[in-house]
Each structure stands twice: as structure tokens, then as C-alpha cells.
Amino acid sequence: MLRSQLQHAGDTRHKITKLTDDQRENLLSTAIQRAASSEGRVKDVLKQVGDWNPAVAEQFEIKAPPFSMSPLRMLHSDWEAVPKHGQIPAPSFVALSYSWRTEEWSPVASAYHPPGSKEPVPICKCLWDFLLGLLELGEEGIWIDQLCLDQNDRLEKTSAVSSMDALYASARFVFIALEDISLTYREVSILDDATNQVAAGHLNLSIANAREIFAVVSKIFRARWFSRAWCFHEYHLSKIQVLAIPAASSPDGPIDSAIGLVNFGEFTFRLAYFQNDTIQRENEDLIHGFHAFFGGQDCAYSNIISNAFSYDSRYPQDKLTISLNICGLGLSVSGNALASTEARIYLLILALAAGDATILTTRGPKVQYGDHSEKTSWLCWPDETSWSTRYDYPLPSGIYSLSPEHISLDLLFITQAVFRSPSVRAFRKAEAFLRSELADQIRVAYGLQEIRSEYVVEHSVVETLASAIDSGLLWMIGAWCRIRGEVVAEVEQSYDSVSQIGYACLRSLFFGRLKGTFRIPTRASKRNIAFPWNKGSLPGIRTFSARDKKINDQSKARVALNSLWTRAYEMLLCILLFGKYWEMGMTVTLPGDLAITDLHSREENFHVPAPSEHKLYGKAKYTVYPKAGTVLAVPRVLVDRKFALSDRLWLMESVEDGNGSGCWRVREKVALIGCGTIKHDGRTVILAKDQRVVG
């Protein structure tokens, strides 16, 4: 936490300077080079969109170099900067992020007008003094959009808007001014203690302390700044952020100072994973807000676009620019771009062309379009917190055309897949494990359960773990590598607490009897290859699942031997957390692989847990789809292993379009977890090209 240094009134003046081309290129050099290096890819993406749908491609154009069409100005202060111990020196400028003052809200103090300056700065004096105190020696420039852009020149502002990503990404840090809240001396002390703990690599809180911290953070998060789309944009494009808040400098004193929280998003991320069910329930909306606002810039384009549209903006079309800038797609909105619902769909189509195939896996509200609010069946609007991993360009082949009304693509129809509920034996083993002292150790270590408290068995967790047990140890080895990414924060936080109990986890679930070696047959010799037990290997395993006995791949055995047992607790933790939020209750056998799914097969119907917008399920309720009218298929672009955690199994029905031609409509999307290979075999899985799916 940074603290401001108080200054005397009348000690600041400022001037606005128009930079030369050389100065501009020097300040923005990294952003300019990045744009130049990606120009070829940007052209390819735009061409792909044009091949699919020329009308969509017309909505976008390749960006001009930043500030090449408008002047770049900086504010310079004549105030002698006070050097701050420990600040990282950087030779550029600082950008101010703030809420413009309007009649809609009330700042805690008036805007400061330095003596001798023509215009006031748009923030209060205590924050202005704080900002000046953080400048580097040599009179570092300050970017303030309200002062550095000619507010009467519409063309200048329009041109500069598409350069905001380069500007905020080039700033040494972004100074975020929160002016509609202030902190007492006690609140500052609470926050200081918590941020120091996080900086030291731990966060040990009692329930009482956690409540105090959440109360302070909730107060901060209510600031108007967190509701604005451009502020969301400025946060996500900056390298370092200093969140500045007016505060009291003494226990009973007035609001006469300020504090600065560096990279506040990282702190809230750690705080959000304080694993106590009571605290989580009390702060559910706040934690949802953390994930929505601070969710990573490297996540799926679909999530970023959805998030950008969830915040407020004076001009709706600005959200198109904000989305493009945060995604880093190198494109700007053309002059004839739509500012309507269709514009959202066009952004998602653009993201798909850029390689983000998660567009096709999103479960959420159907995207609406047209005057009559038609809905797309294949394209959903993601929930703000359902963050997915982004995958690199290019997109695998298999899409031919698309629009708000349809998509034509290759589909792998699953015609004879075997769906099995967990076996009775697996259920018993899963439930026994979850009630064991060993499972208690894992839950306590990760804050899922308090010490000496009674564990209440959750059916969804039992069912998920039982499905995984039926799939077998070697399946879990492969699936774990992908599942782990979903719970990486929890996995990393308490490694030392449970790093010695991994072998016990595997023994509890899979081992029959202990021997001195681990044996697995090989095809070549038709005999067992023995690996001695040492650190990093497993003593003799007799697997629980019959499926494991059929696998004789020596490389898979070595994976198990050399990397699994010391990390097995992570695998079980993933299952514990996955089971809580993902109701995986079936195994699906496909050619060459196996998956677990939240699609439940029940006699004449398929059951899908609801709500489908997000997997934070409460009491299980299901949407029912008759098997007789439901077809299962996976888009060919989603067969890669990297989509193994995606909701890529489409439940479809046969319909006719407006011309009477046969086509498909997507009714639901569900997961196929851990299945890395989905291959056409002409029987169980059949590839059909250029299938038309309508809204």
C-alpha cells in the first residue's frame, strides 16, 4: 500500500504540451511495434470473416497507427516531484483513470484548480497531490483525456478513441482515482494488514477478520468507477495500476490524505478464494463482481466482449471499441458499424475468426437479433464469470458460412455412444473416500472445511468422483492435466499442506495391495515391465477400474510413475471442486476414448442440470429432452484436446428453415470432460460436412 505526502496549497501549476511525432513514437514504441508485427494476422482474420460473411467484415477495418490521425498531448506539472523509495524507474508517462464529474453522482471533494492554471484538474486535491508525488524525476508527463483531447473537436476525439489501448498499455502506471468514497483510519489499517499478508505470500484470516476486510473491499467496490465501461477498458490494458482513495491520516482526523493500492485485482482474486462457506455466501455478489471486473485479459474473447457490454457507457458504440481494444484484435469499428444487438453477434463472429472456438461452447442466454428479437440457437451470450481459456489463431477448419441467422459447419454425429451411470461399487468407494480422514485433510488444507467440523456429503461430488473412478486411474491422469487449469488458484495456494498425502489418495481409491514394484504389460514382450519404487514412482498398483487393465502403453505408465503420486491430491481436489460445481453423473464411451458428462441419460429422456447459464448449481433441477427427437453432435472444430473441458456436445433437433430445407437447431450444450479424441469411425461417430444450424 502506498501513502500520499501532503502538500501545501498553491504549490502546483501545469501546462498542456503537444508532442512531436518523434516524442509520440518514443512513448508508444512498444505498442506501435506490436501492431506492426501482428498486421499480417489481422488481415487474415478480417479475410476469414469476409469469406464467411462479407456484411460482417464491412463492420471493421484495420487500425491506423496510434495517434497518427490526431495529436497526442501531455500535461506537465512544474511541481518538483518528491522521489518515492522503492518505485521502479520507467521513462514514460502516467495515465489518469477516473469518472467524469456529472450530476449523477457526488464526489467527496471538489475538483482542484491549481493557482495560475487555466483549467482545474478533474480530481480532488488530495488525489492530485498523491499523483504528483508518484511521478519520476525529470517531470514525467500525465495523460488526462478531459484536458489532453480537444473536447470541441469531434473528429479528433473519434480518432483518438481507437488509440486508447496503445496509450494505456504504454503508461508506466495508471492512476485510478476513486472520488465518491473515502476510508477511515481504521479501514486503512485493516486494508494495510491484509495487503501486506498477500504481498508476503499468505492470507491467514479468522472469520471476524475476513468479515472486516470484505466490508472494506465492498465499500471500495461500490465506487462509481467500477461500473464504467471505459474504466474497465483502462484497467485491463494497463501494466500497473494504483487505486487511489481519499483517506484519513489519523484516528479521529478528517479526510486529508490518500492511499494507493497497487494491482488491487490480484488482492481481490486471493480474497475471493478465501474458502469458508459462510463468508462466501455472505459476499456472493461481491465475489461475482470481482471475477467479472478483474477477469483476465488473456481469457476467451467471448467473455471479454460479454463483460465489456455489461458496464455503463455514455455512447453504446464505445463498447464495440472497448471490446476490440481489450481483445487486442488490431481492428477498429468502421464508420457504418452497427450500434445494435447485431453488433454483439458481429463481434463474436470476429472473435471466432480470430481463433476463439469457445464461441461455439458457451452456455448462457441465447443471443438476440432483429426487429422481432429472434434468438440464435448456436450462439449464446456468456455469463460474466464463466471465464474460458483463449486459444491461438488459426481456427481449425470446418466452418463454411455464418450470420446471426445460421452457421454452416462440419459436425461429428454421435449415434451409438454408450452412456453409463456410475457403478454401485464406484459410488461406495467415492462416498467412503469423501467421509475419510484423508479427504478431511484435503478439504481443511484448502479451506473447504473447518477443522473438526462434520462433512456433509454432497451428492454431486459423490457422483462426479464415482464417474471418474469408473473411468480409471490412467483416464484421471490425462483428464487431470486439463481439469487442473480450472482450479489452478486453489491448487497452488496450499501445496505444502498436502504435498505428502498424494500417494495415500491414490492408494485409497485405486490400489489393491502393495508390492515393491509397479508392473504394467507391454505389447512387444508380452511380459510385465517392473519399475522399482523410489521417489517419484508408485509401488505396485492393482487398479480399481477394469479399463486400466487394458492399457499397456509404457509411456502412460511412466507418466503415472514419475509425476502422479506426489500430485495426486491435486487431482482429487479438482474432482472435489468440479463435483461441487459440475454435476458430472455419466460416463460416455467413444471410439478410442472416454469422457464424463453432465448429460444424464434416463430411459426415454436426456436430463441436463439447470440453470445452464453457469455451473454454480444449487439443488439439482433438470431440463428434459426426449431422446426420440434429440440428436447428439460435436462440431469438428472442437475435437482438439484443448477443448476437452468445453461444453462442446450439442443436443440438436431437426427443423426446416424458411425455404423448407432440412437443418438443425441447437437445444442445449453439455460437457465432455477428459475426452481428447473424437474420431469418425462410421458407426458410433459419423462425420457430416457443411451442416446448416439455424436460430
Side-chain angles (χ1 to χ4, degrees), residues 451-649:
I451 298 174
R452 290 184 294 278
S453 65
E454 182 179 355
Y455 172 67
V456 178
V457 175
E458 297 174 274
H459 177 75
S460 58
V461 179
V462 178
E463 196 171 38
T464 302
L465 182 54
S467 297
I469 291 172
D470 275 342
S471 300
L473 173 64
L474 295 182
W475 177 88
M476 289 180 75
I477 295 170
W480 163 74
C481 296
R482 294 182 281 273
I483 294 173
R484 182 179 183 272
E486 293 288 313
V487 291
V488 64
E490 296 93 331
V491 165
E492 295 296 338
Q493 283 181 24
S494 303
Y495 177 85
D496 292 338
S497 303
V498 288
S499 59
Q500 302 304 314
I501 64 176
Y503 167 61
C505 292
L506 291 185
R507 179 184 178 187
S508 172
L509 289 174
F510 291 101
F511 296 3
R513 59 184 182 277
L514 293 180
K515 292 183 178 179
T517 58
F518 170 68
R519 297 179 179 274
I520 192 165
T522 64
R523 294 175 183 172
S525 63
K526 295 184 180 181
R527 62 184 178 83
N528 288 347
I529 300 297
F531 296 93
W533 177 26
N534 52 41
K535 186 175 182 180
S537 67
L538 292 167
I541 298 176
R542 186 176 67 187
T543 58
F544 179 80
S545 171
R547 176 175 169 80
D548 293 324
K549 298 175 183 178
K550 301 176 182 179
I551 299 177
N552 50 21
D553 186 332
Q554 185 172 343
S555 64
K556 290 184 178 179
R558 290 187 181 277
V559 169
L561 288 169
N562 296 326
S563 67
L564 184 61
W565 82 267
T566 57
R567 306 288 276 183
Y569 71 92
E570 292 184 1
M571 180 174 65
L572 270 300
L573 173 68
C574 291
I575 296 297
L576 292 177
L577 290 170
F578 246 52
K580 187 174 183 179
Y581 301 126
W582 295 49
E583 294 192 25
M584 301 296 161
M586 303 290 291
T587 59
V588 186
T589 304
L590 297 171
D593 214 333
L594 192 75
I596 62 175
T597 180
D598 49 352
L599 177 65
H600 296 236
S601 181
R602 302 280 191 268
E603 297 181 353
E604 302 299 322
N605 300 311
F606 288 120
H607 292 226
V608 178
S612 61
E613 286 77 9
H614 197 242
K615 299 188 184 68
L616 294 176
Y617 300 130
K619 294 182 179 179
K621 296 181 180 179
Y622 296 89
T623 304
V624 178
Y625 299 98
K627 290 183 179 178
T630 303
V631 176
L632 305 180
V634 176
R636 186 159 70 94
V637 296
L638 301 176
V639 298
D640 194 282
R641 285 182 177 273
K642 62 190 177 184
F643 300 111
L645 287 177
S646 303
D647 295 323
R648 53 185 172 155
L649 179 60

Side-chain angles (χ1 to χ4, degrees), residues 13-17 73-77 121 128 132 135 139-144 147-148:
R13 298 184 306 279
H14 65 253
K15 57 184 178 182
I16 306 294
T17 305
R73 303 181 184 90
M74 289 286 167
L75 181 149
H76 291 82
S77 171
V121 293
W128 181 246
L132 296 181
L135 297 179
E139 195 164 321
E140 193 170 25
I142 305 172
W143 165 264
I144 304 176
L147 301 180
C148 297

Side-chain angles (χ1 to χ4, degrees), residues 304-472:
I304 294 172
I305 293 167
S306 173
N307 232 358
F309 272 82
S310 71
Y311 295 102
D312 298 331
S313 176
R314 181 180 301 178
Y315 305 108
Q317 192 164 333
D318 283 354
K319 296 182 183 181
L320 301 179
T321 298
I322 289 168
S323 300
L324 290 169
N325 284 353
I326 298 178
C327 290
L329 293 174
L331 295 166
S332 59
V333 180
S334 66
N336 60 342
L338 297 171
S340 61
T341 306
E342 280 86 346
R344 303 187 187 194
I345 300 179
Y346 290 174
L347 281 173
L348 294 176
I349 291 173
L350 178 65
L352 182 61
D356 183 13
T358 62
I359 300 296
L360 303 177
T361 69
T362 304
R363 292 164 77 170
K366 307 295 185 183
V367 179
Q368 295 184 351
Y369 65 93
D371 296 334
H372 302 289
S373 297
E374 296 91 344
K375 294 183 179 181
T376 60
S377 71
W378 61 275
L379 186 61
C380 298
W381 197 241
D383 180 89
E384 295 91 344
T385 61
S386 54
W387 294 90
S388 304
T389 304
R390 183 194 308 173
Y391 298 107
D392 294 334
Y393 179 85
L395 184 74
S397 60
I399 299 177
Y400 301 94
S401 66
L402 72 175
S403 70
E405 295 83 10
H406 86 284
I407 181 171
S408 294
L409 74 172
D410 295 342
L411 293 172
L412 287 158
F413 288 92
I414 299 174
T415 59
Q416 300 179 29
V418 178
F419 288 80
R420 291 189 179 90
S421 297
S423 66
V424 174
R425 188 180 182 189
F427 258 117
R428 290 173 179 170
K429 200 155 186 89
E431 190 166 26
F433 173 78
L434 293 171
R435 292 184 183 278
S436 69
E437 182 179 349
L438 185 62
D440 283 344
Q441 286 182 272
I442 297 176
R443 288 189 291 264
V444 169
Y446 285 94
L448 301 176
Q449 176 181 329
E450 295 185 24
I451 298 174
R452 290 184 294 278
S453 65
E454 182 179 355
Y455 172 67
V456 178
V457 175
E458 297 174 274
H459 177 75
S460 58
V461 179
V462 178
E463 196 171 38
T464 302
L465 182 54
S467 297
I469 291 172
D470 275 342
S471 300

Side-chain angles (χ1 to χ4, degrees), residues 232 235-236 289-299 304 307 384 387:
F232 175 76
Y235 174 86
H236 279 281
F290 290 166
H291 290 302
F293 193 92
F294 297 115
Q297 186 184 348
D298 57 346
C299 290
I304 294 172
N307 232 358
E384 295 91 344
W387 294 90

